[in-house]
Amino acid sequence: MHGRRACRLVKEFNSGEKGQLNHFNEELLNEVAKECSENFLVLQSLIRKMQEEGLDFQTTRNADHYGALINHLSLIRNKRCLMAYVYNRAEMIQNLAWTVGLRLFELPEEIREKLSHPEKEYFKKHSSALESYMSKVDLDLNVDMVPPKDPYIKVRVLDDVGEGIVVSDKAANFARHSMHFLKRTDAELYISRGLMEELTG
């Protein structure tokens, strides 16, 4: 059935939790791309056949015309579904650079394994462009997505960060469950990676 695989691909993307990536379905994507190629070949052969028979494709309404029309519409629908799948995943990957970090190794393993190789390369290039821009304007856009009320926050360490970590030119020991009073800019990276949580109230 025309377009069924492409519909499955889009439904699969929508079935995930909002803001959560599913595994990249390369097999299904390739099947849809193959169907696009088949639609295109059938469309070309039907148009060629009508031209050879001396029929005007614009005005003739026969089985070949409707066959070509079905394949043309199927091709357009499949391409739109492919573009929607890739575009929406790309948007989510861009958001990772803002919420998790600009380095691929900063992404949790469960997120990295859901990305295809081209998506990993896209993430690296997008992050590199952001870093280049931030260094030119001398401003870190990755911190304080919401204007802070106070430059210092109280945090609890959720996972061992390690010893001898330097923050604000001082070495600190971030043992698990320890609490610290840190500059928001120093803590933001660890909070976004799930290693710390901000304590409020």
Side-chain angles (χ1 to χ4, degrees):
M1 185 71 179
H2 291 290
R4 187 167 285 174
R5 291 185 188 94
C7 186
R8 251 174 57 211
L9 194 65
V10 174
K11 280 183 177 176
E12 182 186 287
F13 176 83
N14 281 333
S15 68
E17 280 184 53
K18 190 172 172 66
Q20 298 293 317
L21 276 172
N22 290 329
H23 280 275
F24 183 80
N25 195 335
E26 190 169 1
E27 184 183 343
L28 188 54
L29 185 130
N30 287 337
E31 286 177 17
V32 177
K34 184 182 175 187
E35 189 178 310
C36 285
S37 298
E38 290 167 359
N39 288 145
F40 182 68
L41 290 173
V42 172
L43 176 62
Q44 275 190 319
S45 69
L46 289 171
I47 291 174
R48 198 177 303 117
K49 183 184 172 192
M50 289 180 73
Q51 287 171 339
E52 286 168 358
E53 291 172 358
L55 300 172
D56 181 7
F57 182 74
Q58 300 295 327
T59 57
T60 304
R61 296 293 181 265
N62 61 6
D64 290 336
H65 169 84
Y66 291 112
L69 183 63
I70 288 168
N71 279 279
H72 177 65
L73 294 174
S74 177
L75 176 60
I76 291 171
R77 179 185 166 83
N78 283 345
K79 282 173 70 176
R80 288 183 68 184
C81 289
L82 285 171
M83 289 171 69
Y85 183 75
V86 173
Y87 175 80
N88 282 290
R89 285 185 66 89
E91 273 204 323
M92 291 175 78
I93 291 164
Q94 285 177 23
N95 288 337
L96 290 173
W98 295 104
T99 56
V100 181
L102 293 172
R103 302 276 192 280
L104 190 62
F105 69 82
E106 290 175 352
L107 296 179
E109 182 60 35
E110 62 267 21
I111 292 178
R112 267 183 291 167
E113 65 186 17
K114 292 177 181 177
L115 302 178
S116 67
H117 178 70
E119 286 178 328
K120 288 176 184 173
E121 287 302 309
Y122 177 74
F123 178 81
K124 285 180 190 173
K125 287 178 181 175
H126 177 71
S127 298
S128 176
L130 280 177
E131 284 183 320
S132 173
Y133 176 76
M134 288 190 286
S135 68
K136 282 178 184 171
V137 297
D138 194 26
L139 182 66
D140 189 353
L141 299 172
N142 244 11
V143 294
D144 296 334
M145 301 305 276
V146 176
K149 292 178 182 172
D150 193 324
Y152 289 88
I153 58 171
K154 191 174 184 181
V155 295
R156 181 191 351 260
V157 180
L158 300 175
D159 204 353
D160 281 324
V161 178
E163 296 181 18
I165 306 292
V166 178
V167 287
S168 298
D169 300 327
K170 295 177 190 168
N173 179 15
F174 294 124
R176 193 172 184 183
H177 302 304
S178 60
M179 288 187 267
H180 304 271
F181 199 60
L182 300 174
K183 269 187 174 179
R184 181 178 293 276
T185 50
D186 291 332
E188 197 81 38
L189 175 64
Y190 299 104
I191 292 170
S192 68
R193 289 166 61 185
L195 298 172
M196 292 181 182
E197 68 176 349
E198 182 179 357
L199 299 174
T200 54

